[in-house]
Amino acid sequence: MRKGPTVIDVVKPTRVATLSQQVADELQARIVAGDWPVGHKIPTEPELVQALGVSRSTVREAVRSLIHVRMLEARPGDGTYVCSASPLKFPMQDRISHASLREAIEVRAMLQQRIARLAAARCTPADAERLRELLTTAGPQLANAQSYDECAPAIMAFNTAISDLTGNRLLVELDNHVTTATVAKPPFPDHWSPEIGARVLGRLTDLIDAICAGNPDEAEQSMRRAQREILPLVADTGDAQM
Amino acid sequence: MRKGPTVIDVVKPTRVATLSQQVADELQARIVAGDWPVGHKIPTEPELVQALGVSRSTVREAVRSLIHVRMLEARPGDGTYVCSASPLKFPMQDRISHASLREAIEVRAMLQQRIARLAAARCTPADAERLRELLTTAGPQLANAQSYDECAPAIMAFNTAISDLTGNRLLVELDNHVTTATVAKPPFPDHWSPEIGARVLGRLTDLIDAICAGNPDEAEQSMRRAQREILPLVADTGDAQM
């Protein structure tokens, strides 16, 4: 672990940062950088005091700040653990928990349409080959699932494979946070059936065809058609515009 | 101000919240609710100790948490002020400051296209009349501006009028945060000319026509055409897809 003076490096020139803010920024930077991954137990208060050369109350205030944004979690009698590597995750999920399901669905639909568009614009022949392979291996799993939980890993695999092609990590991160928060909102997903799975696979095949053909407009339209057909089957989308 | 026991109300059932987290959540709730608006000086530490019935160190840790997410700002020798009513604002702007300009432009373009689409879907005849009036009053201001700063109020007025029609506050809030952070990224906006102003006004007129006609597809396409024509004039958009 780096020594005391490094906390000075993280002073933002645009504000007067107290020592505890500097320490909070320093701890956050380590988590974002992956030095302390999700699930990792961070050093104890006395260890941080020694490593950073600051007082115990400074360390405690800094840790509390990161607990407030849910990057850290205190487990009484055990220690303090990293529970998110993204400072945006909790504020985003908290904001969406206060939004209506319609608002959340509209934002999620938008993000996924844009991901489809960018994936098509940036899909190389090698990417196309991998996507088609995934359709062969994970497709049947999706079509035969008896519940949402059973098909979730396949849906996740397709989402990740398509998102990766966008080359836009900001967009992918927003989509991850919004999707997680939206799926957690009742009544989403309310129910599932093999018929829905078969429809999802059909629309996904169209989407992957458009992405592999390098056609952004068609990929976006394909995603929109899938959303309009499938979302109302699993959630009450109200008057959401997709 | 409410008394001590109220801090218990804000305990989230999904985590074990310490007292300082409960106090931070309570203070945040007051700011989000507008009880303490932006620019407001919050009560002093001793006042909060008395009002909330908790210790001074608990209050201090809670306030530090909200300073960390930049909802509060400490002005040494003066007091602590509300500087943002949105817990999402700083984390979003911080995340975008770490994104590339291309990533940020792609996300901003997406948000504004979706806003155009939803505005068209939900525009009433009375809304259409107000938009056309705004075009008459603020349009010339935009076309005649000699700098970005001079036309910014007109652009802001159009943005707000169109965003308001979407009925999706989550989308509008994301757009506000992303736009603020993107415009702050060099080299955006790098330069301006009356010729750019005239082009913006032309594209804006097309957009407002499509919104007033209640045509979501045309409104979205119109926004996309405007972005593709105008953004490269004010920023290096690289290979951004809009």
Side-chain angles (χ1 to χ4, degrees):
Chain A
M1 182 175 288
R2 282 169 281 170
K3 289 289 173 192
T6 58
V7 296
I8 301 308
D9 299 339
V10 298
V11 179
K12 299 286 192 300
T14 49
R15 57 169 185 155
V16 182
T18 64
L19 202 52
S20 78
Q21 286 159 42
Q22 294 173 44
V23 171
D25 287 346
E26 168 77 11
L27 300 183
Q28 177 171 312
R30 288 185 194 191
I31 296 168
V32 170
D35 296 349
W36 293 341
V38 171
H40 182 92
K41 185 178 180 169
I42 69 165
T44 62
E45 255 178 36
E47 285 166 352
L48 288 170
V49 163
Q50 173 133 42
L52 299 167
V54 295
S55 76
R56 187 154 181 150
S57 70
T58 300
V59 164
R60 181 172 303 150
E61 284 171 7
V63 169
R64 290 266 191 269
S65 294
L66 298 185
I67 289 174
H68 177 68
V69 292
R70 316 282 169 93
M71 293 186 77
L72 292 178
E73 178 191 16
R75 299 191 195 153
D78 182 354
T80 301
Y81 287 80
V82 178
C83 56
S84 164
S86 163
L88 195 54
K89 183 180 176 183
F90 173 71
M92 183 71 98
Q93 296 190 351
D94 185 50
R95 176 63 185 86
I96 291 170
S97 75
H98 291 96
S100 69
L101 183 62
R102 174 179 68 75
E103 287 177 319
I105 282 180
E106 285 179 352
V107 169
R108 182 175 179 238
M110 165 189 74
L111 289 160
Q112 299 197 331
Q113 286 167 27
R114 183 53 51 124
I115 284 170
R117 162 170 285 277
L118 292 183
R122 298 187 174 135
C123 185
T124 67
D127 294 329
E129 199 176 322
R130 271 195 301 276
L131 273 186
R132 291 199 190 286
E133 271 172 31
L134 185 63
L135 204 52
T136 310
T137 56
Q141 197 179 330
L142 202 159
N144 300 324
Q146 299 295 313
S147 68
Y148 179 79
D149 285 349
E150 236 177 83
C151 73
I155 289 184
M156 189 70 73
F158 283 112
N159 276 355
T160 306
I162 294 172
S163 293
D164 279 351
L165 304 187
T166 65
N168 188 323
R169 289 159 304 170
L170 174 63
L171 179 67
V172 170
E173 192 175 329
L174 291 175
D175 179 58
N176 282 341
H177 298 328
V178 171
T179 296
T180 309
T182 306
V183 171
K185 278 185 99 70
F188 191 95
D190 203 22
H191 53 272
W192 191 257
S193 73
E195 194 232 341
I196 297 176
R199 287 218 210 180
V200 171
L201 183 58
R203 296 292 71 76
L204 199 52
T205 305
D206 296 345
L207 173 63
I208 288 177
D209 283 346
I211 292 172
C212 292
N215 189 334
D217 286 332
E218 179 52 30
E220 180 171 348
Q221 283 304 323
S222 180
M223 178 60 91
R224 179 173 287 150
R225 279 194 298 272
Q227 291 165 341
R228 285 179 176 165
E229 181 179 327
I230 294 158
L231 276 176
L233 300 178
V234 292
D236 175 14
T237 57
D239 66 339
Q241 290 276 328
M242 290 179 271
Chain B
M1 181 174 291
R2 282 169 281 171
K3 289 288 173 191
T6 58
V7 296
I8 302 307
D9 299 338
V10 298
V11 179
K12 298 286 193 300
T14 49
R15 55 168 185 155
V16 181
T18 64
L19 202 53
S20 77
Q21 285 158 42
Q22 295 174 43
V23 171
D25 287 346
E26 168 77 11
L27 301 181
Q28 177 172 313
R30 289 185 194 191
I31 296 168
V32 171
D35 296 349
W36 293 342
V38 171
H40 182 91
K41 185 179 180 168
I42 69 165
T44 61
E45 255 179 35
E47 286 165 352
L48 288 171
V49 164
Q50 172 131 44
L52 299 168
V54 295
S55 75
R56 187 154 180 152
S57 70
T58 299
V59 164
R60 182 172 302 151
E61 284 171 7
V63 168
R64 290 266 191 268
S65 294
L66 297 184
I67 290 173
H68 177 69
V69 292
R70 315 280 168 95
M71 293 187 76
L72 292 177
E73 178 191 18
R75 299 191 194 154
D78 181 353
T80 302
Y81 287 80
V82 177
C83 57
S84 165
S86 164
L88 194 55
K89 183 179 176 183
F90 172 72
M92 184 71 98
Q93 297 190 350
D94 186 50
R95 176 62 185 85
I96 291 171
S97 75
H98 291 96
S100 69
L101 184 62
R102 173 179 68 74
E103 288 176 318
I105 281 180
E106 284 179 352
V107 169
R108 181 175 180 239
M110 166 189 73
L111 289 161
Q112 299 197 331
Q113 287 167 27
R114 182 54 49 126
I115 284 171
R117 163 170 285 276
L118 293 183
R122 299 188 171 133
C123 185
T124 67
D127 295 329
E129 199 176 322
R130 271 194 303 276
L131 272 187
R132 291 200 190 285
E133 271 171 31
L134 184 63
L135 205 52
T136 311
T137 55
Q141 197 179 332
L142 202 159
N144 299 326
Q146 298 297 311
S147 67
Y148 179 79
D149 284 350
E150 236 178 83
C151 74
I155 289 183
M156 189 71 73
F158 283 112
N159 276 354
T160 305
I162 294 171
S163 293
D164 279 351
L165 304 188
T166 65
N168 189 324
R169 289 158 304 170
L170 174 63
L171 180 67
V172 170
E173 192 175 330
L174 291 176
D175 179 58
N176 281 342
H177 297 328
V178 171
T179 296
T180 309
T182 306
V183 170
K185 279 185 97 70
F188 191 95
D190 202 22
H191 54 271
W192 191 257
S193 74
E195 193 232 343
I196 297 176
R199 287 219 211 179
V200 172
L201 183 59
R203 295 293 71 76
L204 199 52
T205 306
D206 295 345
L207 172 64
I208 288 177
D209 283 346
I211 291 172
C212 293
N215 188 334
D217 285 333
E218 179 53 28
E220 181 171 347
Q221 283 304 323
S222 179
M223 178 60 91
R224 179 173 288 150
R225 277 194 299 273
Q227 291 165 340
R228 285 179 175 166
E229 181 178 328
I230 295 158
L231 275 177
L233 300 177
V234 292
D236 175 12
T237 57
D239 65 340
Q241 290 276 329
M242 290 178 274

